[in-house]
Amino acid sequence: MKKIIFYSYLKCSTCIKAAKWLKSKDFEFKLIDIVKEPPLVNYLNLALEQYSDDKKRIFNTRGKAFKTLNLDIYGLSREEIIKLLLGDGKLIKRPFLIYEEKKVILGFNEIEYAKQII
């Protein structure tokens, strides 16, 4: 069985769509509330490595929490980014899916999920 950890915000419509998609494909996953329990440091590091071309993709740039910070993400160190994300799960792009402990998939796009997981 494929191991999937699914960090989600329970009120997020995109997260709900992604969870329904996973269930429709009979994937089992561990659901974690991203606000109560942000992703582990090693998962955030994995996301930063995968999305090293644009650190901003890891952030939920449309959310209120992000907009109130008024940050220059590109001027922050990896450690500063991780500290910010661990401090407020609403800053993290969601859903935040970890596949087989090796890959992070941010947001939800049916085609991307199918390509990455199936």
Side-chain angles (χ1 to χ4, degrees), residues 22-111:
L22 288 168
K23 288 175 186 172
S24 76
K25 304 292 183 206
D26 293 324
F27 284 110
E28 290 184 23
F29 54 93
K30 179 179 180 183
L31 180 66
I32 301 173
D33 184 332
I34 201 166
V35 176
K36 292 180 182 172
E37 192 179 332
L40 302 173
V41 172
N42 58 322
Y43 297 145
L44 293 173
N45 272 314
L46 183 60
L48 283 167
E49 286 168 24
Q50 272 186 235
Y51 295 93
S52 62
D53 60 320
D54 188 2
K55 298 187 249 186
K56 199 171 188 176
R57 289 189 61 199
I58 297 164
F59 285 84
N60 175 21
T61 57
R62 293 183 183 172
K64 288 179 192 171
F66 181 82
K67 288 178 181 177
T68 59
L69 288 177
N70 196 21
L71 285 173
D72 171 22
I73 292 169
Y74 303 107
L76 299 175
S77 70
R78 178 182 283 239
E79 292 74 26
E80 290 170 321
I81 289 172
I82 288 175
K83 187 176 179 182
L84 263 175
L85 297 176
L86 287 174
D88 187 352
K90 286 187 178 178
L91 289 174
I92 303 169
K93 178 80 173 171
R94 55 186 187 256
F96 187 101
L97 185 141
I98 295 102
Y99 179 68
E100 294 284 311
E101 305 260 339
K102 296 177 190 158
K103 186 186 299 182
V104 173
I105 304 171
L106 301 173
F108 175 64
N109 175 304
E110 207 171 305
I111 296 165

